[in-house]
Every structure is written in C-alpha cells, then in structure tokens.
Amino acid sequence: MWWIYALLSAFFAALTAIFAKVGIKGVDTDLATAIRTAVILVIAWGIAVARGTTAGIGGLTKINWIFLVLSGCATGLSWICYFKALQLGKVSQVAPVDKLSVALAIVIAVIFLKEQLTIAQGAGALLIIAGTFVIIYF
C-alpha cells in the first residue's frame, strides 16, 4: 500500500513543478513560496481537523517537536530554493535534479538512522546521482 501513496506523491510533485513554473512567472520566488505555504497550511490543518487527529498534539514529545520543526525548516528552505531554480531553469532540468534528494535521503538514512542498504537501493541511488550529473553537465 505504501507504494500507491509514493506514486501519488510523485504525481503531485510533478504537477507542483508544472503549476509552479507557470505561477512564478514575474513573481518574486519568496512571495510565491509564502503563498504556496499558506495554501498547504490550510489544507494540512483542514485534513487533520476533519480526520480528528489534532487531539494527538498534546501527546507529542520534545523530540517530536524538535524534529518536526527541523523538518519544517528543511522543507521551507527546499521550497525556496526549488522555486528559485524553477524561475531560472527549465522544469525538465530542475525537477529531476531536485530528485537527487532521493539518493541523498538513502545515504543519510544509512548513516544516521542505521537503515540497511540493499543492492537495489544502492544501485538506484547511484543511477539517480549519475542521472543528475548528466542533466547538469550535458
């Protein structure tokens, strides 16, 4: 079941790139990111409220809060850089290079989370890295 959500995530990420490229034309990318973030904020809280999951907020630990805030900071910085890259480059270049995050996440998960690396995951990460270099330099 996880892969269905992963595929949907990839589909929506692709739409994000296309919609953003059109939406940022002539717009400051920081302002565009702020607008996008406000929309996401409303949608995310709306879903949490509708599903009744906000009651769990009191059970969050200090570690939960620290790492969720850090994740939010990383997300915000990623979006700011992504929108600037989209404004300066082509979607067909920026979106695939952005997906280098997949290979980086694998490496970081192995190092810091002590996840086991399979041959398939390692090969996939290397292919993503190689593909990124091809897109950037050729």
Side-chain angles (χ1 to χ4, degrees):
M1 185 65 151
W2 65 267
W3 59 272
I4 294 172
Y5 288 107
L7 287 173
L8 286 170
S9 174
F11 173 73
F12 289 122
L15 289 180
T16 297
I18 302 301
F19 294 160
K21 181 67 175 179
V22 175
I24 61 173
K25 187 173 183 174
V27 176
D28 178 81
T29 55
D30 294 334
L31 174 61
T33 302
I35 292 168
R36 175 187 185 188
T37 303
V39 171
I40 293 167
L41 180 71
V42 169
I43 291 171
W45 275 103
I47 290 170
V49 168
R51 296 183 75 193
T53 58
T54 56
I57 201 166
L60 295 176
T61 67
K62 183 177 179 181
I63 295 295
N64 295 138
W65 278 107
I66 289 169
F67 281 93
L68 289 172
V69 168
L70 288 172
S71 176
C73 291
T75 298
L77 291 170
S78 172
W79 289 351
I80 287 167
C81 293
Y82 185 72
F83 269 37
K84 192 62 167 177
L86 276 177
Q87 194 171 56
L88 299 172
K90 297 178 182 177
V91 171
S92 59
Q93 294 171 315
V94 173
V97 171
D98 177 64
K99 297 312 173 218
L100 179 61
S101 63
V102 173
L104 294 174
I106 291 170
V107 171
I108 293 168
V110 168
I111 294 169
F112 292 106
L113 301 179
K114 307 298 184 212
E115 291 187 5
Q116 294 298 312
L117 181 66
T118 67
I119 291 173
Q121 291 167 334
L126 288 173
L127 288 169
I128 291 168
I129 292 166
T132 300
F133 281 107
V134 167
I135 289 170
I136 290 173
Y137 294 110
F138 299 102

